[in-house]
């Protein structure tokens, strides 16, 4: 059985992420979407909220599971008996950082491959940070996040805005 790991912060999951998840699920028998810690980011949504949103957003895809792991990505990949990491690339600007991570992961785990999937054209400008900025400023985010999590996102960002 072929399986792939799609890691990220997913703070929150966007339509761009969902596009990558759907396309990966069409290629591999099983896709594990893994929420991992990005030490250079301070998340807005809790791990539980992010798991809940990913579960809602992917409820229509039978071969997808959602997990959280507080450790190295390659250790998680091994724990799932997988050897493929999927990363989305939006633009050339993503490349340098992703290239560095792929090289680093390859040096510590030569048996694990990172495969890059180009983002869908209409999502090339989209990021979780942009969604958060729009939501906090009271702009609609319905074009950018899955319908199933719209209330979770707008409610949290509205509260966030009030507290600041
Ligand atoms: O969505 P993001 O924030 O770009 O995802 C980055 C993430 C979480 C995949 C990356 O920070 C990661 O792999 N974190 C786990 C810890 C790890 O393995 N670090 C070394 C990889 S360079």
């Amino acid at each position: 059985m072929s399986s792939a790991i799609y890691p990220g912060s997913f703070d929150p999951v966007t339509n761009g992420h969902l596009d990558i998840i759907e396309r990966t699920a069409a290629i591999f028998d099983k896709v594990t979407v893994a929420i991992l810690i990005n030490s250079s980011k301070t998340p807005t949504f809790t791990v539980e909220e992010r798991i809940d949103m990913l579960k809602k957003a992917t409820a229509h895809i039978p071969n997808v599971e959602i997990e959280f792991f507080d450790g190295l990505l390659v250790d998680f990949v091994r724990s799932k008996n997988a050897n493929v990491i999927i990363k989305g690339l939006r633009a050339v600007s993503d490349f340098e950082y992703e290239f560095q991570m792929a090289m680093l992961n390859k040096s510590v785990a030569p048996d694990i491959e990172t495969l890059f999937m180009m983002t869908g054209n209409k999502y090339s400008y989209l990021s979780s940070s942009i969604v958060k900025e729009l939501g906090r400023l009271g702009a609609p985010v319905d074009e950018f996040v899955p319908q199933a999590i719209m209330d979770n996102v707008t409610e949290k960002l509205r509260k966030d805005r009030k507290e600041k």
Side-chain angles (χ1 to χ4, degrees), residues 6-11 17 34-41 69-75 85 87 90 97-98 100-102 104-105 108 128:
Y6 178 46
S9 303
F10 304 109
D11 187 48
H17 294 130
I35 299 172
L36 286 134
I37 309 280
N38 181 338
S39 54
S40 63
K41 291 181 182 169
F69 185 72
D70 180 8
L72 273 181
L73 171 58
V74 291
D75 287 342
I85 297 167
K87 286 293 192 101
R90 282 167 302 194
Y97 173 68
E98 293 297 346
Q100 191 183 6
M101 282 213 283
L104 188 99
N105 287 329
V108 291
S128 298

Side-chain angles (χ1 to χ4, degrees), residues 7-8 16 21 35 55 79-80 82 94 113 116-118 127 138:
I21 296 168
I35 299 172
K55 283 189 174 162
S79 77
K80 301 299 292 181
D94 279 342
E113 294 294 344
F116 290 98
M117 195 174 270
M118 298 310 295
S127 70

Side-chain angles (χ1 to χ4, degrees), residues 45 52 91 96 152:
F45 294 85
D52 178 52
E96 203 166 336
N152 302 59

